[in-house]
Amino acid sequence: MKKYLLLVICGMSVFIGFSQFVPNDSVGLAAWYRSDSVHMTGVGNTIDTLYDLSGNSLHAYQLSGSQTPDLILNEINSFPVVRFNSATDMDVDNLILEQARAYTIIAIVKNTHVGNSVSVFMELSTDGTNSSNFGIPAGSFQTSYGRVAIGSRSNQPFALIRGDNVLNSGFNYLSLEYLGVDPGVFGNYTMVGNNSSMNLSTGQNFAANNRSKLGSTVGNFDFQGDIVELMIFDTLLSASDSVQIQEYIKSRYIPELDLGADKIKQTFCTDTLVASSDSYSSYLWNNGSTNDTLFVDSEGIYSVIVTDIFGFTSVDTIKVSYAGNYLFGDTTICLNSSVIWDTHLSHSSYTFQWSDSSSDSLISISQDGTYWVTITDALGCYLISDTLNVLVDSFAAIASLG
């Protein structure tokens, strides 16, 4: 099905079409916020609306100009972020979770708070006496709360399914499941962890009028950081939907594996092929290396298979060649004739040392023998060519004697 994303800048709406799975193809999407679907205030980089793409019109908004967050472009794989500080937040009306109902939270966020805090990036209103506050702890707060390990519920109704660094710039892909409990005991559960975790704490439902919030301005719980994407499902995701969500996140935010275009090198110095990314968990080159980089000191075709943090694999291949002609197959020439081996390289950039001690960029060969050349580039790196075997066919001379 053809999907569209909406970007509104200074009153102008831009629709960009694309064909792929999107989160609202899944069952139970209650709200979906993404940093490229916003309305600008027209004052600097500030935004007053972060649109809900779920179709439920639960848009996040900020009416006070002094509390509007900023849109910062090209922060994560060319996509923007919505940047909050301790004085900015956004409201969402009518986004209310049932404490007795299971739900799933997906988030791509970045915490830049350097003090002792639990940086709350989202507070969700509930139908009980407590709201649900999702945050990332910093400083001493990383160890001063109870912790739930990834994939373990530890006798709690919450489970952190994933907590991955999407990029080396510190953005986290976070996924949490809530099983749903009796509202009477909901306030007994607290979940926090380290900077790669989604953390949930419960407290008095201070969001007035059943109003949820993105960001926080409350003391040690204020949010300083970036929101890229938030999804709230009012159900647990099926296995197939979970995989498709991961594929969607991967396609948007994990840089595509790219060794670059095939290259013809002008120097013989060792080159380095780089596949490194914090988004990849393993590497396998066609020479058996499992490093994230490969040192290349000869021509050839090189390929690497990477496995990303979601378990998907990607492959890329590159051909590395050297400038010049230093490969010449064995040959037979007639008596009194010659063959020219021309390297097609310039004396201004290279020096040449042939096996017969000549030093030109080419050699004229008329005698039996083996020939090779050592070529040195301007950086002092050198290449020794293959050996050329030349045979002179003297049959015509022998035949003329008869």
Side-chain angles (χ1 to χ4, degrees):
M1 181 168 59
K2 190 83 168 180
K3 301 296 179 183
Y4 297 90
L5 65 87
L6 168 67
L7 180 62
V8 181
I9 300 179
C10 296
M12 294 188 299
S13 300
V14 180
F15 291 88
I16 304 173
F18 59 94
S19 296
Q20 66 172 47
F21 169 88
V22 288
N24 54 12
D25 288 333
S26 300
V27 174
L29 182 63
W32 174 23
Y33 305 103
R34 201 169 65 185
S35 58
D36 60 358
S37 182
V38 301
H39 184 269
M40 310 294 295
T41 65
V43 179
N45 297 321
T46 59
I47 68 168
D48 55 24
T49 309
L50 181 57
Y51 290 106
D52 172 22
L53 298 177
S54 72
N56 295 322
S57 298
L58 298 174
H59 308 307
Y61 64 91
Q62 179 51 259
L63 300 179
S64 172
S66 62
Q67 291 181 260
T68 51
D70 290 324
L71 185 73
I72 308 300
L73 301 178
N74 300 316
E75 286 291 304
I76 175 170
N77 202 29
S78 78
F79 289 103
V81 302
V82 177
R83 180 158 296 170
F84 292 79
N85 59 46
S86 59
T88 59
D89 61 11
M90 304 191 82
D91 296 326
V92 184
D93 291 335
N94 302 315
L95 177 56
I96 305 169
L97 295 181
E98 299 176 35
Q99 290 185 355
R101 182 171 182 169
Y103 61 80
T104 304
I105 303 293
I106 305 290
I108 298 180
V109 294
K110 180 179 182 179
N111 179 31
T112 59
H113 206 307
V114 296
N116 299 324
S117 71
V118 175
S119 197
V120 174
F121 59 85
M122 179 170 62
E123 180 194 359
L124 296 180
S125 267
T126 72
D127 59 357
T129 58
N130 297 298
S131 60
S132 301
N133 305 310
F134 298 87
I136 300 177
S140 64
F141 281 48
Q142 294 186 53
T143 56
S144 59
Y145 289 84
R147 185 170 298 175
V148 177
I150 292 177
S152 170
R153 296 189 185 277
S154 299
N155 297 317
Q156 297 197 43
F158 311 106
L160 180 66
I161 306 306
R162 298 199 69 94
D164 299 301
N165 190 359
V166 178
L167 290 175
N168 57 13
S169 48
F171 290 94
N172 294 310
Y173 168 78
L174 306 170
S175 174
L176 175 124
E177 287 182 349
Y178 168 67
L179 288 184
V181 296
D182 183 330
V185 298
F186 179 82
N188 295 332
Y189 296 99
T190 300
M191 175 177 153
V192 293
N194 57 33
N195 273 318
S196 293
S197 299
M198 175 173 284
N199 316 283
L200 180 142
S201 63
T202 60
Q204 184 178 0
N205 198 348
F206 59 81
N209 302 319
N210 290 321
R211 179 176 293 164
S212 294
K213 285 184 175 292
L214 304 184
S216 173
T217 60
V218 181
N220 286 335
F221 295 91
D222 66 289
F223 179 52
Q224 300 179 35
D226 301 331
I227 291 178
V228 181
E229 192 143 358
L230 293 173
M231 305 175 207
I232 304 164
F233 298 86
D234 60 8
T235 185
L236 301 182
L237 293 178
S238 67
S240 61
D241 278 350
S242 294
V243 170
Q244 287 184 305
I245 289 290
Q246 291 174 14
E247 289 178 336
Y248 162 79
I249 296 296
K250 165 189 164 61
S251 67
R252 281 184 64 86
Y253 302 115
I254 292 184
E256 183 178 356
L257 173 63
D258 185 11
L259 296 177
D262 293 345
K263 59 175 65 177
I264 300 177
K265 290 169 51 62
Q266 304 299 317
T267 175
F268 304 120
C269 296
T270 299
D271 200 0
T272 304
L273 300 179
V274 179
S276 177
S277 171
D278 284 351
S279 301
Y280 304 143
S281 58
S282 67
Y283 308 82
L284 180 61
W285 296 86
N286 59 335
N287 70 345
S289 172
T290 56
N291 295 324
D292 57 5
T293 58
L294 186 70
F295 297 110
V296 174
D297 58 7
S298 62
E299 287 188 316
I301 296 176
Y302 299 90
S303 64
V304 63
I305 302 172
V306 300
T307 303
D308 64 37
I309 59 176
F310 299 114
F312 301 117
T313 58
S314 302
V315 181
D316 197 19
T317 299
I318 185 172
K319 181 179 180 180
V320 178
S321 306
Y322 295 132
N325 174 31
Y326 45 84
L327 300 176
F328 207 106
D330 293 346
T331 188
T332 299
I333 61 176
C334 296
L335 185 67
N336 298 323
S337 65
S338 63
V339 62
I340 295 177
W341 182 354
D342 189 346
T343 65
H344 299 295
L345 296 174
S346 168
H347 277 289
S348 63
S349 301
Y350 303 90
T351 60
F352 308 88
Q353 184 65 48
W354 293 90
S355 51
D356 67 352
S357 298
S358 62
S359 58
D360 201 352
S361 60
L362 56 82
I363 186 174
S364 179
I365 302 170
S366 59
Q367 301 294 323
D368 280 343
T370 57
Y371 299 85
W372 67 90
V373 62
T374 300
I375 308 173
T376 304
D377 63 34
L379 299 176
C381 301
Y382 64 90
L383 176 144
I384 301 176
S385 72
D386 286 349
T387 296
L388 166 64
N389 295 297
V390 176
L391 176 65
V392 175
D393 183 359
S394 55
F395 174 78
I398 297 172
S400 66
L401 294 176

